[in-house]
Amino acid sequence: MTTATTLAALRALCLQGLGDAVLVPALLEALHALVPSRRNLFAWTDDQGRLLRHVIEGPIDTHIAQLYFDAFHNRREAEAMLPFEALRRQPGGVRAPDNLHHSGFDQSALYHAIWRPQGFHARLEAVVRNAGGRLLGSLVLYRGPGDPAFTVAEAQRLQALIPALAHGLDTTAAATAADDLHLPSPEPAETLLLSTDGTVCHASAGAWRWLLMAGGGASREALSRPALAMGGPLLGRYWAR
């Protein structure tokens, strides 16, 4: 598939009127065909740049996630890079792909405590704003040690998609409810067993990530809930249906 064809398909995905809980995971997966990467992430913000929740491909290490929120988010991350809250001052679009390539980053606490354990070494980030300039979130593509650096050409390919993504995210209020839709995924099946009160009786390793996603995404609030009680909100919605 050519780059033009891939870009057209991704734009079409963004403009299907899907709810963001369906659109974003599908887009993160499909983006690998446009710009190869190891893992992709999207973080929703309010218009002041405060993180609301995020979704990331692959397993979620809850210890690392909690450590990031408690010690680094808008705190120690500023030792190595712009803090997350700086998004509110950033224009929409893809940042230069070499914005983290400075001598101190690989020696920083952020890199060794948060990035390196997850296999992250380089990133390509897009600040997503709607047509009126309102901040919607941040799209990040990660590569690991030994992977090639992101290039200007790859940044330009990603930039060509951002207006369609912004439009898709900005029009989700009228979208079909996410739990009425099912999209197949190449990720392996997971097993989850809940009691009648929503207590988790058994969960395979990857099922914890799906519980976080079903609860609205990985946020500090969600990570603060007891793991065994995470099935309550999910089960409640199923009972209601």
Side-chain angles (χ1 to χ4, degrees):
M1 187 180 293
T2 67
T3 297
T5 303
T6 300
L7 182 57
L10 289 171
R11 284 170 171 161
L13 173 65
C14 292
L15 302 178
Q16 288 297 309
L18 300 173
D20 59 5
V22 174
L23 169 60
V24 171
L27 182 70
L28 295 184
E29 177 187 320
L31 265 175
H32 294 281
L34 183 69
V35 179
S37 57
R38 186 166 295 198
R39 296 173 72 186
N40 298 333
L41 173 150
F42 187 83
W44 286 266
T45 69
D46 64 15
D47 54 9
Q48 294 303 307
R50 291 182 288 261
L51 176 63
L52 301 176
R53 65 191 193 281
H54 74 273
V55 60
I56 187 171
E57 293 183 300
I60 292 178
D61 185 314
T62 55
H63 173 73
I64 292 175
Q66 289 173 334
L67 177 62
Y68 169 72
F69 282 116
D70 291 343
F72 290 93
H73 181 66
N74 291 327
R75 296 181 182 88
R76 294 197 65 189
E77 65 184 342
E79 298 170 5
M81 57 188 283
L82 287 174
F84 188 89
E85 65 180 358
L87 284 174
R88 62 189 174 91
R89 300 187 297 273
Q90 300 298 313
V94 179
R95 298 189 190 183
D98 60 350
N99 69 88
L100 290 180
H101 292 180
H102 58 79
S103 58
F105 184 75
D106 289 358
Q107 284 75 48
S108 68
L110 175 70
Y111 180 75
H112 285 281
I114 306 298
W115 282 52
R116 187 176 179 181
Q118 299 182 88
F120 300 159
H121 185 74
R123 73 170 183 176
L124 185 62
E125 182 179 25
V127 178
V128 184
R129 294 182 178 273
N130 69 7
R134 182 169 64 87
L135 182 63
L136 301 175
S138 167
L139 172 65
V140 186
L141 283 58
Y142 290 103
R143 285 179 178 165
D147 293 340
F150 288 104
T151 67
V152 172
E154 289 171 329
Q156 291 171 341
R157 292 205 297 270
L158 184 61
Q159 176 60 49
L161 177 65
I162 298 308
L165 172 58
H167 180 80
L169 292 172
D170 202 34
T171 55
T172 55
T176 304
D179 59 357
D180 286 336
L181 299 169
H182 171 74
L183 293 177
S185 170
E187 296 188 42
E190 302 293 348
T191 303
L192 179 65
L193 179 63
L194 303 177
S195 69
T196 54
D197 65 356
T199 301
V200 178
C201 300
H202 170 75
S204 57
W208 295 111
R209 171 176 176 258
W210 294 115
L211 275 173
L212 279 170
M213 296 304 102
S219 65
R220 188 62 187 90
E221 179 184 359
L223 290 164
S224 299
R225 300 171 192 151
L228 293 180
M230 287 172 58
L234 175 64
L235 191 64
R237 288 200 295 274
Y238 276 107
W239 282 124
R241 290 170 62 81

